[in-house]
Amino acid sequence: GSGQLSFVDQPVVLEANRNKIINGNFDVWQRGTSTSSSGYGADRWRSYYTGGTTTVFSQQSFTLGQTDVPDNPEFYARLVVTSDSTSDSRASFNQKIEDVRTFAGQTVTVSFWAKANATKDLAIELLQYFGTGGSPSSYVTATPQKFSISSTWTQYTKTFSVPSISGKTLGTDNNDYIDLAFWMDAGSDYNSRTSSLGNQSGTFEFAQVQIEKGDTATQFEHKRIGEVKRECYRYYQSYSRRSGTYNMLTIGRAYSSNSGTFRFHIAEEMRTAPSISFNSVGNLNIYSITNPNSGGGGAGTITAISASGTYGPNHVQFGATTSGALTANLGYMIELNNAPSDDQLIFDAEL
């Protein structure tokens, strides 16, 4: 007999974790939703400016149900740049992608949505940084690309050839990376890195940033918020009082009359042993939990905290110096007192 073959179109299966940008949808903002400092704003994203240029980096919300940017994102990033129009001024919006081996010797495509307050030029740079320690190679950049962005939300796609790292030497400090930078202002000192972008002021807005292997941009890779948070926690974790007036942070043991060691369990293993800080250590109290004569009474306030050098996949150990008399080898707890709710215990392992 005879028959006919029928074919069913198969859906295109996109590679999971193809986007090497973390928090490209700007969903996580552990440090707060606005900063005028040169540094991090949204998790993993850094505003960097020098010379007399300044930048305000803030979280903005999309109108519910908008259709300008697809798939209903909740937030986007806004950078308001004020240039001083000198040769050494710069303003860029960067993410460091861990491991300089990433994309080495390959073709990659950067895709993102953006707009400005008026038609503005933008330059994209990919920079391979080989780390510190020992005798690492100097950084290398892919050929930068300069182009114009409009005042309405538009998706832009740019393809780059990432240099090979054959023959290069890594540093010994385990802090090498490839950096994706959106340059918004660049004096003549940076002409070679920005295709002569030039000085300019303006408001620049970004959404759904993606970088992936190949010469074609695919649909933005959405991830569950819990997964994005875990990716961010590898580099930065902050803990603050969620409710009530007092929160216990951790317990530990005194090893002298005014110092002790404490262990804090963290949400995710970090890139490396993190630095430790607290907004105002004077808002931390220490209480005895083992001395029967103290009845759990106060043993003073914390005057300093510091990394102890001990770090595990699910905990960070740190030292605390106190103003009160402790008893060596007894147990104590650290409590956040009735202090500003924005006080944070911070563990930082950024590149």
Side-chain angles (χ1 to χ4, degrees):
S2 62
Q4 292 182 330
L5 294 176
S6 61
F7 295 91
V8 177
D9 290 337
Q10 296 297 316
V12 176
V13 178
L14 297 175
E15 180 182 351
N17 297 314
R18 64 189 181 279
N19 185 9
K20 300 308 179 185
I21 291 295
I22 295 174
N23 199 27
N25 212 32
F26 302 103
D27 289 317
V28 183
W29 299 71
Q30 290 187 83
R31 297 169 177 83
T33 57
S34 182
T35 179
S36 57
S37 300
S38 183
Y40 288 94
D43 275 47
R44 305 276 27 253
W45 288 102
R46 181 180 178 185
S47 163
Y48 185 63
Y49 60 82
T50 59
T53 292
T54 60
T55 303
V56 178
F57 177 13
S58 65
Q59 177 196 85
Q60 302 296 317
S61 297
F62 281 106
T63 301
L64 188 65
Q66 62 79 35
T67 57
D68 292 334
V69 178
D71 299 329
N72 292 301
E74 185 173 1
F75 302 118
Y76 60 95
R78 172 181 290 169
L79 294 102
V80 180
V81 177
T82 303
S83 174
D84 75 340
S85 299
T86 56
S87 63
D88 65 343
S89 67
R90 65 170 286 181
S92 62
F93 183 45
N94 304 53
Q95 182 165 144
K96 298 174 181 177
I97 302 168
E98 185 177 352
D99 193 349
V100 73
R101 298 175 182 85
T102 305
F103 298 134
Q106 298 179 335
T107 297
V108 300
T109 298
V110 177
S111 57
F112 61 101
W113 291 79
K115 69 184 181 79
N117 61 308
T119 300
K120 298 287 182 181
D121 286 336
L122 193 70
I124 297 180
E125 176 193 47
L126 289 175
L127 180 148
Q128 294 171 309
Y129 179 74
F130 295 91
T132 58
S135 301
S137 300
S138 299
Y139 73 79
V140 176
T141 64
T143 301
Q145 296 191 42
K146 183 179 75 171
F147 54 97
S148 294
I149 62 173
S150 73
S151 59
T152 58
W153 282 114
T154 304
Q155 188 180 38
Y156 299 91
T157 300
K158 299 296 175 182
T159 299
F160 295 84
S161 295
V162 180
S164 168
I165 58 173
S166 177
K168 300 297 184 182
T169 301
L170 296 180
T172 58
D173 292 337
N174 193 32
N175 59 353
D176 52 276
Y177 57 81
I178 181 170
D179 183 49
L180 170 66
F182 296 95
W183 288 75
M184 300 163 288
D185 172 50
S188 58
D189 290 354
Y190 302 102
N191 279 351
S192 64
R193 295 178 59 183
T194 65
S195 191
S196 300
L197 175 67
N199 294 117
Q200 60 180 355
S201 300
T203 299
F204 301 80
E205 297 173 340
F206 299 87
Q208 294 188 348
V209 183
Q210 180 156 290
I211 182 171
E212 59 192 308
K213 182 173 62 176
D215 59 5
T216 302
T218 65
Q219 180 181 358
F220 179 77
E221 182 179 14
H222 291 277
K223 296 182 178 181
R224 292 189 298 272
I225 186 63
E227 183 178 359
V228 177
K229 286 182 177 180
R230 287 192 298 273
E231 290 178 338
C232 294
Y233 291 161
R234 176 170 172 81
Y235 303 92
Y236 185 90
Q237 297 183 34
S238 65
Y239 298 87
S240 58
R241 187 174 69 245
R242 296 299 184 187
S243 62
T245 55
Y246 295 87
N247 280 181
M248 189 187 80
L249 291 177
T250 186
I251 59 174
R253 180 178 67 87
Y255 57 84
S256 72
S257 61
N258 68 344
S259 57
T261 300
F262 297 83
R263 177 174 289 190
F264 191 93
H265 289 270
I266 54 178
E268 184 75 14
E269 182 176 1
M270 304 192 77
R271 182 186 67 84
T272 189
S275 64
I276 301 171
S277 61
F278 192 80
N279 295 75
S280 179
V281 293
N283 291 329
L284 296 173
N285 289 341
I286 186 166
Y287 292 87
S288 169
I289 58 174
T290 58
N291 187 345
N293 296 321
S294 71
T301 58
I302 306 294
T303 58
I305 60 174
S306 59
S308 70
T310 301
Y311 164 74
N314 64 353
H315 75 273
V316 174
Q317 190 164 297
F318 63 92
T321 305
T322 75
S323 63
L326 307 179
T327 301
N329 298 317
L330 294 186
Y332 292 86
M333 71 175 184
I334 294 178
E335 183 178 72
L336 175 60
N337 65 22
N338 189 16
S341 60
D342 58 355
D343 269 353
Q344 292 181 322
L345 179 63
I346 294 169
F347 303 98
D348 192 336
E350 290 283 4
L351 287 161

